[in-house]
Amino acid sequence: MRRLLAALALFLAALSPAQAQEARRKVIIDDEGFALMHLMLLEDAGTEVVGVTSVSGNVWANRATAMALRGLELTGHEKVPVAQGATFPLLNSQARTERWEALYGKLTWKGAFMKQWAEPTAQSTPPYHSPFDPVDLPWGNAKLKPLVEPAAAFMVRMVRAHPHQVTIMACGPLTNLALAQRLDPEFASLVKELVVMGGSLNPRQTLDNRAAADFAREFVNTPRREFNIRFDPEAASMVSHAPWPKVTIVPVDPSTGTQLTPALVDRLAKAARPPVAAMIRRMEPGFPMWDEIAAAVWLDPSLVTDKERLWYDFDTQFGPGYGDMLTWRDAYRPGLDEGQADIVRSIDVPKMEALIERILARR
């Protein structure tokens, strides 16, 4: 065994820089901003982020693009290309959302459509912007510029250039993926894996504090509704019917046992190199670690303590269940080309936090 390990070490050491680069796992980050999840993948030695694409969700796409560019600039990842994605959902809109709320009740979080909370909450309310308002970030504006091509076209180009090698880490609404699939019917089949942070099964509050209770309250009466999907249900349903070789879905459920606490922010910042640490300290604490779970289980699948392989789709009927996640076991699926995915129900939270700390500590 020792001889085998020694031989393997010599082989890896003998790899040329080009071969070593090829051995890294390729990923495109499709999201609406720049967060700890981005830093995890950018700083991981075994991962090559071949691009970042933006999409409207928590903020409008132009603001998400600006945040991604500035984050890459501040953390020394200037060579990673950024492509701006869809500004509007395929069909949903702010006006349709307001009409839906008048019929079926207030949504807890509306992202770029958000003007105020329905009730007092521990989290701050971000300022409201129109979709084409000029962007002036409080932490400075980037000198870097996005690519000219739109996100969907960039995704198709990257996947065509590296067939069966690129993972899509989709942590926002799925508009760009739906558009890419419509541009190129072979797009999904050429992706190595799709990882989605979105959807909801039946989350329950597991942490005993005000911030955690605020986030968990959303699912007491609406256990199948989650923002990333609800912002663009039609795109999510289109994605569920595309021929992905492998799909992993991280719904809200495992996130209720996680929280970016002030203590964890401090711990991670101390582990990271200075520019990354400065970025981490800018992050508002108190939020669940939604996107970080998605990145973590892709980096280390052993973090998953419970998962289930289910058929899935999303409700696109403009009724009370608009955007809800639909799932079936084998015997109950409708058989209408719905997707099949490994759906993560729970994770080892301390192990995940330790993983993030190790990644950030690498020099």
Side-chain angles (χ1 to χ4, degrees), residues 13 16 29 49 71 77 100 109 138 145 152 162 173 184 198 233 236 287 324:
S16 67
I29 303 173
V49 179
H77 295 285
W100 186 94
W109 174 247
K145 302 298 180 183
H162 308 284
D184 182 355
F287 287 86
D324 282 8

Side-chain angles (χ1 to χ4, degrees), residues 111-169:
F113 303 154
M114 190 80 174
K115 293 182 178 179
Q116 63 184 28
W117 295 100
E119 60 180 324
T121 181
Q123 287 71 40
S124 62
T125 303
Y128 176 80
H129 299 280
S130 295
F132 303 111
D133 283 351
V135 179
D136 188 17
L137 298 177
W139 28 297
N141 298 314
K143 295 179 182 179
L144 296 175
K145 302 298 180 183
L147 300 175
V148 175
E149 67 182 328
F154 171 77
M155 286 180 171
V156 169
R157 179 165 65 86
M158 287 294 100
V159 168
R160 284 284 180 181
H162 308 284
H164 312 297
Q165 297 179 53
V166 179
T167 293
I168 308 291
M169 183 67 58

